Amino acid sequence: QAVDNGEVWVAFQPKLDVKSNRIMGAEALVRWSHPERGQIGPDDFISVAEKHNRIEKLTAFVLDQAVAAAARINDQGWDFAISANLSVQLLQKPDLLNFVDRILKKHNLSPSKLILEITETGKLDRNGSGIAMMRSLVEHGIRVSIDDYGTGNATLDYLKILPSHEVKIDKQFVADIDSNKDDLILVESTIRMVHSLGRKVVAEGVETQSVLRALARLGCDLVQGYLVGKPMTLPDLMDRISSQDLRVANRK
Ligand code: C2E
Ligand code: CA
Ligand code: CA
């Protein structure tokens, strides 16, 4: 109902490529502006929507907005990939690939510009249809990211068997790597392991320059967090991207 009433919208949080120091993508994060209760965060309604089988409609809305945004940004000549969160339960939906592909075709976006972030991958049965669906998505050219890596009870070998392009290290391990030696060791070894499997590493929850510097030293590929930008509206994101282009042009 909230979707139909126009109370739901999508915020975009930039993802920075560490080497080039440029924004190469963003994550779409759903927002609910409730007419009486004000802003309600996704942590307070996603799990309820999942439990009551309402997550599909919400996901269709977010994906449509996210893919439309990415198509607009790529049309302006920027190389930009959009990330969207996908509840693990939707991997059980036999027509998920068609569902996603219809949205890509509607906005004429290449599947390689869409990254689906999946959390709670530890719940997937290793021979089940969920992992088979991840494989179909990847074969279709869509990118898959393992979200919140390090939390939950995904075992190490899941990393190997799950088809994915990217691993996102959870913010709880990232936030203090400049001061907490144990976290630093965990992040460092994770980056090395993920790279040896041929995948990219994203660190989330980067709030300070010193954490960014530590991640750059460890060879982390992409970062996301308040330091780079809080989740913002699409016009604000587009301003950010075009202002970095101006900066680059001025330097030349
Ligand atoms: P997530 O995928 O781990 O998203 C990152 C969360 O960390 C976001 O919270 C973001 O606002 C927050 N964050 C980003 N940078 C920083 C930082 O530097 N420091 C700190 N402390 N936090 C940071 P948000 O937007 O409240 O989203 C919470 C969760 O809700 C997401 O976690 C994601 O799992 C879920 N979610 C959001 N949108 C969707 C959606 O469309 N579909 C599904 N299935 N889940 C969604
Ligand atoms: Ca995510
Ligand atoms: Ca996370």
Side-chain angles (χ1 to χ4, degrees):
Q1 232 170 357
V3 171
D4 293 335
N5 292 346
E7 294 162 18
V8 176
W9 59 282
V10 178
F12 297 89
Q13 187 177 36
K15 281 170 80 180
L16 183 83
D17 180 87
V18 177
K19 268 206 195 96
S20 65
N21 197 31
R22 288 172 69 85
I23 291 163
M24 300 295 277
E27 177 176 4
L29 292 158
V30 69
R31 295 289 178 261
W32 180 4
S33 307
H34 192 281
E36 280 120 42
R37 292 207 243 160
Q39 297 295 329
I40 304 177
D43 284 332
D44 294 325
F45 64 87
I46 291 287
S47 58
V48 182
E50 285 174 343
K51 235 179 274 152
H52 294 89
N53 285 320
R54 293 289 196 278
I55 195 68
E56 199 174 317
K57 179 163 184 176
L58 191 69
T59 304
F61 175 79
V62 174
L63 267 179
D64 187 72
Q65 299 278 308
V67 168
R72 251 180 88 183
I73 295 171
N74 278 285
D75 282 349
Q76 304 209 353
W78 294 304
D79 185 17
F80 180 91
I82 191 75
S83 301
N85 294 285
L86 189 77
S87 298
V88 72
Q89 73 183 67
L90 285 180
L91 287 174
Q92 309 299 333
K93 193 177 131 68
D95 65 340
L96 179 71
L97 179 58
N98 286 332
F99 166 85
V100 176
D101 197 46
R102 261 199 309 274
I103 297 173
L104 288 168
K105 292 220 166 81
K106 174 178 166 197
H107 299 287
N108 197 20
L109 185 76
S110 158
S112 65
K113 300 285 188 216
L114 175 64
I115 303 173
L116 294 176
E117 298 190 354
I118 303 170
T119 46
E120 298 187 295
T121 41
K123 281 190 184 161
L124 288 169
D125 176 353
R126 65 194 55 216
N127 297 310
S129 57
I131 293 182
M133 178 55 79
M134 282 174 81
R135 215 169 289 125
S136 310
L137 292 166
V138 167
E139 278 163 11
H140 192 70
I142 295 166
R143 291 173 186 268
V144 169
S145 173
I146 299 175
D147 203 355
D148 294 346
Y149 185 73
T151 67
N153 49 11
T155 51
L156 271 182
D157 71 331
Y158 260 94
L159 200 53
K160 204 168 68 184
I161 63 170
L162 290 177
S164 77
H165 296 84
E166 179 188 280
V167 172
K168 244 179 146 167
I169 306 179
D170 193 67
K171 52 180 174 282
Q172 77 178 84
F173 303 104
V174 171
D176 303 316
I177 57 164
D178 53 339
S179 56
N180 183 321
K181 200 144 178 260
D182 291 345
D183 285 353
L184 180 70
I185 291 168
L186 284 177
V187 170
E188 179 174 20
S189 54
T190 303
I191 291 175
R192 213 176 301 133
M193 181 175 61
V194 171
H195 279 166
S196 70
L197 291 167
R199 299 169 195 182
K200 296 218 172 207
V201 182
V202 184
E204 63 173 31
V206 177
E207 296 183 355
T208 64
Q209 280 291 350
S210 82
V211 168
L212 174 60
R213 270 197 300 275
L215 289 164
R217 207 163 4 94
L218 300 178
C220 182
D221 303 287
L222 294 140
V223 296
Q224 188 180 332
Y226 296 164
L227 177 71
V228 180
K230 292 202 170 176
M232 55 185 83
T233 63
L234 180 60
D236 285 348
L237 176 71
M238 294 182 75
D239 281 352
R240 272 296 295 275
I241 298 173
S242 53
S243 72
Q244 73 178 355
D245 252 36
L246 283 176
R247 279 206 314 270
V248 172
N250 287 339
R251 227 186 291 149
K252 276 183 191 143

